[in-house]
């Protein structure tokens, strides 16, 4: 279904419930809030299903949008949810009853809904939701702000390779409404917790470099996390931190897990297949980013991944 | 002079020399290279005056554009140069002889040239140069790449408050030419030297926090720089690093100088005047970012700036 059709379909409904994905990011939250406020501006009753995983980073956007317990929806929409496995526990009951419309931008979309509005060419689902809501008239500042959060966070503030000319055009249109984009940028891209900075400092001080710095292997132990009193939010996307080191072509981030195992995240450039390396250790992923889990200590994991890298390099 | 007039004026010239400012950034370099290549595409001879301060970050863009010693220009253009004090030593001789056209976006433009094309509403001078060169026909990928460098670096990759809807529109048009924006983004925004990361780690481990973390005071001594073998490029814009700490409202970065003094950089939010604080110590600047130099040790500087902050807080 094309975005104009999705806009028409939505406008024929009332009592609309909007679902976000598990471990929600800025795109799913921003899309949901933007769509919710735009539907309300059209006189519709619309709410978001509360998402138990939403972190404090996104709490401010959700204010006034979370469905009360007694809300009985007549139409259920999912935003930025690619597959059945990505519904929250609360969302799964709605998946059972049936999702009326899925709005998404993932090529891996599983077509679980009665109708699907998919545009896999969009960097962020927020671009697609913008196309939908602007069919109903000028987009207000209140609707534009969460959509800017969606578009900017899903593209690393226009830095990732998914960023397209359209992404910039949507950002221009959203900024034109008068939103405080600077506040969003500062909040999401230029703010780090002290614990996060201490975690980064620890990684810099302890990471191993091989092959004249082309390979970086960083590890964060349970003990490190406990000592810094850091939580998962502080460690989020820590693999990207190691990957920014100048000269690094392969970066590995090892997280020690409870119970004697380690989770590894591998990022490579075009000279090495990350998924090839991780496959040797029972994992998988994409050519440039893959992962695996290894039973053993951090030291065991370091030795195993370096050996796997050497093996793939030997075959190359 | 409006950008269409500047485009016409330039097209009436040949043997054009383009000047960049002292300690060149991505905007002045990107504008100069983009303009040079666009003029050449119009059959004009155009060169950049070599800039002795250009760092290795910008070297790749300059290839093939630096004027040979025997080049005798008939028309001299400055890009992104706001005032007479910002010419390089080599550029000053051309300032004496007369600059024919200044293209700039600084409100503080000193009107040193015969003709000035100024648009202070533009986030980057690169936006203005884009408007000029597109008057001559479709902008090629070769011209678009340095202009994208100009626009993206001067806005912190679309994060700073100077970013406008127009900035995004220009970025969209430049990307549309097929440039590898991802390569530029990785190079300028997602790459850090090991020495830079070690400098950041040192700051995290040693900075002083006051008022429950609302004030952060970080110091880098000459000894620190020597021990890390870090240079000025590694320490560039280090004040912004401290300012990103969550909860910080006032950040101070102290750099120890040769000869027993310290250079201080102060960043504040709207609750405190940075220029007010620095004025007490003989310095100055803007409301949100100011600086001063203090005679004495790093410890002396810490005590002096905290005392100045307390004094301004007391008056508030």
């Amino acid at each position: 279904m094309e975005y104009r059709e999705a806009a028409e379909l939505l406008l024929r409904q009332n009592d609309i419930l909007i679902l976000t994905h598990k471990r929600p990011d800025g795109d799913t939250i921003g899309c949901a809030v933007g769509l919710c406020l735009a539907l309300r501006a059209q006189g519709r009753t619309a709410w978001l299903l509360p998402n138990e995983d939403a972190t404090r980073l996104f709490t401010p956007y959700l204010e006034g949008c979370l469905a009360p317990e007694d809300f009985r929806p007549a139409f259920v929409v999912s935003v930025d949810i690619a597959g059945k496995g990505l519904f929250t526990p609360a969302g799964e009951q709605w998946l059972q009853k049936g999702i009326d419309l899925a709005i998404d931008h993932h090529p891996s979309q599983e077509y679980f809904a009665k109708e699907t509005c998919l545009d896999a060419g969009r960097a962020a689902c927020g671009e697609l939701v913008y196309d939908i809501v602007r069919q109903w008239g000028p987009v207000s500042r209140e609707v534009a702000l969460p959509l800017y959060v969606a578009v900017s966070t899903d593209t690393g503030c226009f830095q990732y390779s998914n960023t397209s000319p359209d992404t910039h055009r949507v950002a221009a249109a959203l900024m034109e409404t008068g939103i405080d984009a600077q506040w969003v940028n500062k909040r999401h891209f230029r703010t780090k917790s002290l614990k996060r900075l201490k975690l980064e400092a620890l990684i810099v001080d302890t990471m191993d470099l091989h092959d004249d710095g082309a390979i970086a292997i960083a590890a964060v132990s349970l003990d490190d996390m406990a000592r810094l009193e850091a939580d998962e939010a502080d460690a989020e996307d820590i693999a990207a931190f190691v990957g920014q080191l100048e000269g690094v072509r392969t970066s590995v981030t090892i997280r020690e897990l409870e119970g004697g195992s380690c989770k590894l995240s591998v990022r490579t450039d075009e000279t090495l297949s990350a998924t090839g390396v991780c496959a040797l250790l029972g994992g998988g992923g994409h050519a440039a980013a893959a992962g695996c889990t290894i039973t053993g200590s951090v030291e065991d994991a370091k030795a195993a991944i370096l050996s796997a890298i050497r093996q793939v390099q030997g075959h190359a």
Side-chain angles (χ1 to χ4, degrees), chain A residues 21 25-28 31 78-83 102-112 116-129 132 150-151 153-155 160 162-163 167:
Chain A
H21 64 67
D25 57 11
D27 198 15
T28 195
C31 284
S78 71
V79 286
D80 196 40
I81 306 186
I103 303 172
D104 191 29
H105 71 127
H106 293 96
S108 55
Q109 168 62 230
E110 290 175 7
Y111 297 94
F112 49 77
T116 302
C117 176
L118 175 77
D119 186 348
R122 296 313 195 111
C125 192
E127 294 180 33
L128 185 54
V129 172
I132 292 171
V151 171
T153 58
D154 234 35
T155 59
Y160 297 159
N162 59 357
T163 308
T167 314

Side-chain angles (χ1 to χ4, degrees), chain A residues 12 22 36 44 58 102 105-106 117-118 122 124 133 141 169 174 215 223 257 260 272-273 276 280:
Chain A
R12 288 197 300 269
K22 206 154 72 171
C36 176
R44 304 299 185 279
F58 301 112
H105 71 127
H106 293 96
C117 176
L118 175 77
R122 296 313 195 111
V133 302
R141 188 162 60 176
R169 279 190 209 103
L174 294 171
I215 301 174
D223 184 56
L257 304 177
L272 192 73
S273 162
L280 289 176

Side-chain angles (χ1 to χ4, degrees), chain A residues 232-259:
Chain A
E232 282 313 302
D234 297 313
E236 200 178 315
D237 201 24
I238 197 81
F241 174 75
V242 184
Q244 73 178 336
L245 176 58
E246 191 175 14
V248 163
R249 291 171 161 271
T250 300
S251 65
V252 179
T253 312
I254 301 172
R255 293 283 309 275
E256 188 185 10
L257 304 177
E258 301 282 354

Side-chain angles (χ1 to χ4, degrees), chain A residues 7 16 42-43 50 58 91-92 123 136 144 146 153 164 176 190 216 232 245 250 306:
Chain A
I16 299 152
Q42 297 302 315
F58 301 112
E92 271 181 24
W136 306 333
T153 58
S164 76
E176 207 74 82
R190 306 186 81 79
E232 282 313 302
L245 176 58
T250 300
L306 191 58

